[in-house]
Structures are given as structure tokens and as C-alpha cells.
Amino acid sequence: MKKIKANIIEAFKNKRINVFFIFLFVSFVILMFTKLSKQYTNTIPFSVEKLNIPQENVILNDSTQINITLKTHGFRWLSYYWTQPKITIDFSEDVFKKESVFVWNKSKAYLNNTQFDKDVEILNISPDPITFRYGVNMVKKVPVKFQTDINFAPGFNMTGEITANPDSVTVVGPDILVSKINSVETESLVFNDLRTNIAKIATLKLPDNISDLKFSASHVELKAQIEKFTEGTLKIPFTVINAPINAKLKYFPKFVSVSYYVSLANFKAIKAKDFKVVCDFNKTNQEQSFLIPELVQTPELVQHAKISQQRIEFIITK
């Protein structure tokens, strides 16, 4: 390696090689100037800088680029390739309203004279005329809908409901877009073998045309309390409603068994008086000798409450 390095240094000290590289560099520079001095024709995308847009309107971003065919020298083309070229459109002077769009239909000569120098010739503009869809600004508050798939570990369940913070978002944008948004969903979240509280940041699934809209939030926090659950059973007295006025009913049994799930923390708080069971006599027929018990009231702390007996036998005594 030392020998190769020494040979390279010796070569650069050679005056003939130095003169060769100088001539090579000068030739390259002359060639580049010759090429860049020539006229070329090409089509290039231009972005649009929009000025003085009326305050009550918002321009939709589906028409922010136009294609312009130009004829100019290579130096100008080089500057276009280095930075994104743009044209300026003044909405207070250069456009007019037509139905649901602003229209810019200036001639190529007008654009050439106002925004390009004499070394540039505009050959074509596409699209022509240029149209800009617009809408009236609208503010709307919509609820957050979360998508979750929760699989609890054996013996565990959720106390209350899963909540989102914030539970709604504010959308600002063109009325034709905002009016179509009635809710915003979160990404789908899956929880397996769950036995601890949920505290998860979820990303909102915002619309594809997000550049035209502003949302007050892009993420929400999902929360839920998870506890150990157990099964409880209580004997609950029931009430017969809508019985015949002049008839006396005798029925058996006098109580029904109600089973339910409740968290261990709230197990002792559940009492028989928190439940209400009724048998509606109007729901029987002449050939039927039994009543059907219905659970019409349960405490908020319990889940999956159900009555064990499906029939209450009865007889009518005069």
C-alpha cells in the first residue's frame, strides 16, 4: 500500500500529467457552457402560489400544480431542476368565480410577460384554463369511534365502559368535505389475555384528503378498568303484575335464583334489593299454567345477570 501511495504522489508531481488534467477540466467547462447556452424545449410541473384568497373560502388542494411547456436556454433549465418552480396567482385580480370553482384563463403571453423574463418562451399550459375547487369554511365536532378486539384472561372483565380522551374531535375545512364526516375511527387495537387496566394511545384514521382539513387531534387515549370477576347468586322475590282483579293467585316457587358476574371489589356491595323481577300475567294464555319471570332491574355493577328458573307454576283460586 505504501508503494502504491508513493506512486500516486509521484504521478501528481509529474508536470505532464498536471497539464493533462488542467486541459481536461477546461474542456469540460467549455463543453458545459456550450450545452447550457443552447435552447431546449421541455414540459415541467409548476406549483401555484395562491395570494389574496377570500377569507370566506378555502381552496381545495386537488389543483395545486400545472404543467408548462417552455423553451429556454440550459442555464434556466438547470435552475428549474434544482428548485421547484412556481407561478403566482392573485385571487383578487387574476381569477373569476364560476359555479363551484375559481377560473384562471389568462393567455400564455400574459403569463410570459408578468412572471417570466425575455429568455423564456411559454409554448403550452396544461390544464388551460386552470380551475380551483373551493368550499366555505365549516367547523364541526364529531365523535371518536374506537375499534377494539378485547379477549380477557379467565376470571377477568372490564368494569364500566372503555372511554376515549378526547371523546370527540373538531374538524375545520371546506363545507363540502366536512359535511360528509360524521365520526372518526381509531386504528384497530387487539388485546389478548387481558388482565390489567387499558391505557393505550390510538391513532385516528383520518381521511385521505387531510391536507384540505384540520383536526383538533390525531391521537386519542383509550382507557378501561380491568378487574378480577367472580360469579354471585341471590334469591330474589318477584312481583306478579296485571293479575285479574277478582282472582287470587297461588304460585310456586316464591323466589327465583339470579346469577351474575361482579368484580371482587364490589361483590359484597350487591344486595337482593338491587334486583327486580316481575311476572306479567298478560303474557299468559288460557291454556298456560305458568308465569315467565323477567329481570327488569339490575345494579350497574353487575354483568351478565340472568334468571335460573324459566317458569313459575300458578293456580287461580276464586
Side-chain angles (χ1 to χ4, degrees):
M1 289 297 296
K2 291 182 178 179
K3 185 176 180 180
I4 295 174
K5 183 178 180 181
N7 290 337
I8 293 174
I9 295 174
E10 186 65 28
F12 274 101
K13 290 181 179 179
N14 191 314
K15 293 184 178 179
R16 291 183 179 180
I17 293 179
N18 291 342
V19 171
F20 170 76
F21 278 111
I22 291 173
F23 274 101
L24 181 63
F25 175 75
V26 172
S27 300
F28 176 76
V29 172
I30 293 174
L31 177 63
M32 287 297 297
F33 269 89
T34 302
K35 290 289 185 181
L36 293 176
S37 298
K38 292 182 179 180
Q39 297 278 336
Y40 297 94
T41 299
N42 202 356
T43 300
I44 190 170
F46 277 69
S47 62
V48 178
E49 181 181 11
K50 300 176 283 289
L51 302 178
N52 299 319
I53 300 172
Q55 291 185 351
E56 68 273 13
N57 299 125
V58 58
I59 305 301
L60 305 184
N61 288 329
D62 58 359
S63 52
T64 58
Q65 181 175 287
I66 62 174
N67 295 314
I68 301 179
T69 302
L70 303 174
K71 182 178 181 182
T72 186
H73 54 73
F75 289 104
R76 179 54 59 86
W77 282 116
L78 192 62
S79 67
Y80 288 155
Y81 291 133
W82 277 109
T83 58
Q84 171 73 48
K86 65 180 180 181
I87 64 169
T88 301
I89 293 180
D90 190 336
F91 277 68
S92 65
E93 299 179 356
D94 300 336
V95 301
F96 64 89
K97 276 187 178 182
K98 180 181 179 181
E99 296 177 353
S100 60
V101 296
F102 285 106
V103 180
W104 184 93
N105 64 348
K106 301 293 184 179
S107 65
K108 295 189 291 291
Y110 172 85
L111 186 60
N112 217 142
N113 293 331
T114 56
Q115 301 196 38
F116 294 87
D117 57 40
K118 61 181 180 179
D119 295 329
V120 179
E121 180 183 357
I122 297 179
L123 302 180
N124 186 52
I125 301 174
S126 178
D128 187 15
I130 304 170
T131 59
F132 300 90
R133 290 201 309 135
Y134 70 90
V136 178
N137 267 327
M138 179 180 180
V139 179
K140 185 178 182 181
K141 194 173 185 179
V142 296
V144 172
K145 292 186 176 180
F146 36 86
Q147 308 235 9
T148 56
D149 182 7
I150 302 177
N151 300 297
F152 297 99
F156 287 83
N157 212 321
M158 184 164 54
T159 302
E161 300 290 336
I162 188 169
T163 60
N165 184 28
D167 61 359
S168 60
V169 295
T170 301
V171 189
V172 181
D175 58 344
I176 59 175
L177 298 179
V178 175
S179 60
K180 298 177 181 179
I181 301 175
N182 297 314
S183 63
V184 179
E185 294 183 349
T186 66
E187 62 181 336
S188 181
L189 296 176
V190 178
F191 301 92
N192 289 318
D193 198 34
L194 189 63
R195 61 183 69 220
T196 58
N197 292 341
I198 296 175
K200 181 75 173 179
I201 300 297
T203 303
L204 295 178
K205 295 164 63 176
L206 302 180
D208 294 334
N209 50 0
I210 180 64
S211 57
D212 291 320
L213 303 168
K214 292 182 180 179
F215 290 81
S216 60
S218 59
H219 299 78
V220 297
E221 183 179 15
L222 300 183
K223 287 187 175 183
Q225 186 173 353
I226 310 301
E227 294 187 22
K228 183 76 173 178
F229 272 63
T230 187
E231 185 177 20
T233 303
L234 289 173
K235 292 288 186 179
I236 310 296
F238 59 87
T239 303
V240 179
I241 60 175
N242 299 318
I245 298 177
N246 298 323
K248 185 177 180 180
L249 293 181
K250 289 186 177 182
Y251 46 82
F252 181 83
K254 303 294 184 181
F255 297 83
V256 293
S257 294
V258 175
S259 61
Y260 55 89
Y261 283 92
V262 65
S263 67
L264 284 176
N266 295 319
F267 182 77
K268 293 183 178 180
I270 305 303
K271 307 297 180 184
K273 64 180 182 179
D274 300 325
F275 297 86
K276 184 177 180 180
V277 178
V278 300
C279 295
D280 191 348
F281 192 86
N282 284 343
K283 293 183 179 180
T284 64
N285 54 56
Q286 293 181 353
E287 299 177 356
Q288 185 175 313
S289 62
F290 60 87
L291 301 168
I292 299 176
E294 298 178 65
L295 190 59
V296 295
Q297 177 182 305
T298 59
E300 294 182 357
L301 298 176
V302 305
Q303 298 181 11
H304 311 302
K306 62 180 180 179
I307 300 173
S308 300
Q309 293 95 333
Q310 298 301 315
R311 294 184 177 186
I312 305 295
E313 301 294 336
F314 76 93
I315 59 173
I316 300 176
T317 58
K318 298 295 183 179

